[in-house]
Amino acid sequence: MRCGQTRRYARWTALVALSALPLTAGPPEASAGPEPEPEPETVTVHVYSPSMDRVVPVAVQTPADTSVPRPTLYLLNGAGGGEDEATWQHQADVESFFADKNVNVVTPLAGAFSYYTDWQRDDPELGRNKWTTFLTQELPPIIDAEFGTSGVNAIAGISMAGTSVLSLAIAAPSLYRGIGAYSGCAETSTDAGQFYVRTVVESRGGADSENMWGPLGGPGWVANDPLVNAEKLRGTAMFISSSTGLPGEHDTLTARSVDGDPSVLANQVIVGGIIEAAVDSCTHRLASRFDELGIDATFDFRPSGTHSWGYWEDDLHESWPMLATAMGL
């Protein structure tokens, strides 16, 4: 897997920053053996967002065989937005899992505490956030033009982004064929939903949640509520998961996210258990809403598990056959 390459996309022009090649005094030496097999590749591209007037780093993993067009999976991080170490690339087996799959995997490495939505006002702490515009209008044309796509997309996300992926699909109903929503609270206009959003945006991000969607309980909060707007998700393949919050198989000292640290394990079990129990309640309410409306979706309610990476890696693996089918693979 070749990592660490960087490409820069300024405004709508794809300007690829290539390292200078060394000069040689003569012709290249003859190959000593057969050409190596092509490998998957991960690069970081820097994409200018006109709506936010900023450059956004985006990780793009392409398959080994890029000779034919392929779909794209947009894979979103949680509350940290990929600006910390809590990312799919650092905490899960994304690179090895997708190494043999004919799909682009695209992950923005920004957007902390933003809910990947369009904010109504700039925030003193988080600045200008127009993530719905970026993810649904600005980024896809560049990915399609530069990375050999088929124009078919799916989207998946965890925690904060487990809510966002549903809202993004509602905002752009023809953009995604499949959705994976892992451990997200799929409501924003209820008291419980607003408490969860404010915990992320205000308690963790230090921002003003009313800069995001306006006054609490107002039309902005309703418009971005997947529970209220569930009808707009009809016809999209969906895998939606949560756990009870009780300790499970990945809540051990040997778990990758714990790395042998008892204090980390205690936090994962106690805090991660409380958070997961809360989103589990949200997810059950969404399932009931889908049942009322007759909307098809796959719900995976685990009997144990906390709000942590081991379970999200499992979710990605378990939802992949559905996402792949939705994208035509």
Side-chain angles (χ1 to χ4, degrees):
M1 182 75 63
R2 296 192 299 276
C3 303
Q5 299 187 43
T6 300
R7 301 178 186 175
R8 185 173 300 276
Y9 294 83
R11 298 188 183 273
W12 297 109
T13 305
L15 301 177
V16 183
L18 300 176
S19 300
L21 297 176
L23 297 177
T24 58
E29 296 181 3
S31 174
E35 289 292 326
E37 290 293 323
E39 296 179 357
E41 180 178 72
T42 299
V43 298
T44 300
V45 300
H46 292 80
V47 180
Y48 176 77
S49 166
S51 64
M52 292 188 282
D53 191 23
R54 60 172 291 189
V55 174
V56 179
V58 180
V60 181
Q61 180 176 338
T62 54
D65 181 3
T66 58
S67 63
V68 295
R70 56 210 170 273
T72 299
L73 173 64
Y74 289 87
L75 189 60
L76 305 187
N77 291 304
E83 299 177 21
D84 52 18
E85 293 297 307
T87 69
W88 284 104
Q89 287 73 23
H90 282 95
Q91 302 292 340
D93 64 351
V94 167
E95 292 188 344
S96 60
F97 180 70
F98 286 107
D100 62 350
K101 296 171 177 60
N102 188 37
V103 64
N104 294 326
V105 181
V106 175
T107 304
L109 302 177
F113 315 116
S114 69
Y115 266 85
Y116 287 115
T117 189
D118 280 1
W119 287 43
Q120 294 183 4
R121 296 184 297 272
D122 293 355
D123 184 81
E125 183 67 26
L126 298 183
R128 177 167 298 173
N129 290 289
K130 297 292 182 182
W131 291 100
T132 297
T133 298
F134 178 72
L135 289 168
T136 65
Q137 299 177 32
E138 296 173 353
L139 181 59
I142 291 176
I143 298 298
D144 289 344
E146 299 299 324
F147 291 95
T149 80
S150 62
V152 174
N153 307 297
I155 190 167
I158 58 169
S159 192
M160 176 189 82
T163 307
S164 304
V165 294
L166 297 169
S167 298
L168 288 163
I170 289 169
S174 62
L175 185 58
Y176 309 110
R177 301 275 185 88
I179 303 169
Y182 317 135
S183 295
C185 182
E187 54 191 77
T188 61
S189 61
T190 64
D191 289 343
Q194 288 176 32
F195 176 80
Y196 190 83
V197 171
R198 294 181 69 186
T199 298
V200 173
V201 174
E202 297 178 4
S203 299
R204 295 192 60 189
D208 184 347
S209 60
E210 293 198 356
N211 287 333
M212 183 167 68
W213 291 326
L216 291 173
W221 293 76
V222 175
N224 286 278
D225 192 325
L227 191 73
V228 173
N229 298 283
E231 180 62 43
K232 297 179 181 179
L233 295 167
R234 186 184 298 276
T236 305
M238 289 177 280
F239 179 100
I240 303 170
S241 61
S242 62
S243 303
T244 61
L246 297 172
E249 63 178 311
H250 297 299
D251 300 300
T252 65
L253 283 172
T254 57
R256 181 188 304 160
S257 57
V258 175
D259 195 26
D261 189 328
S263 64
V264 172
L265 176 59
N267 183 75
Q268 180 169 304
V269 170
I270 298 171
V271 178
I274 293 170
I275 294 172
E276 191 65 21
V279 301
D280 191 49
S281 296
C282 297
T283 307
H284 274 87
R285 287 192 290 274
L286 183 66
S288 296
R289 175 69 169 158
F290 279 11
D291 284 343
E292 291 172 3
L293 297 174
I295 296 173
D296 289 333
T298 298
F299 284 88
D300 184 10
F301 294 112
R302 290 183 295 266
S304 62
T306 59
H307 203 69
S308 54
W309 281 99
Y311 304 101
W312 299 329
E313 182 178 276
D314 289 347
D315 288 336
L316 181 62
H317 292 189
E318 291 170 18
S319 63
W320 173 247
M322 182 216 71
L323 294 171
T325 298
M327 292 187 289
L329 293 176

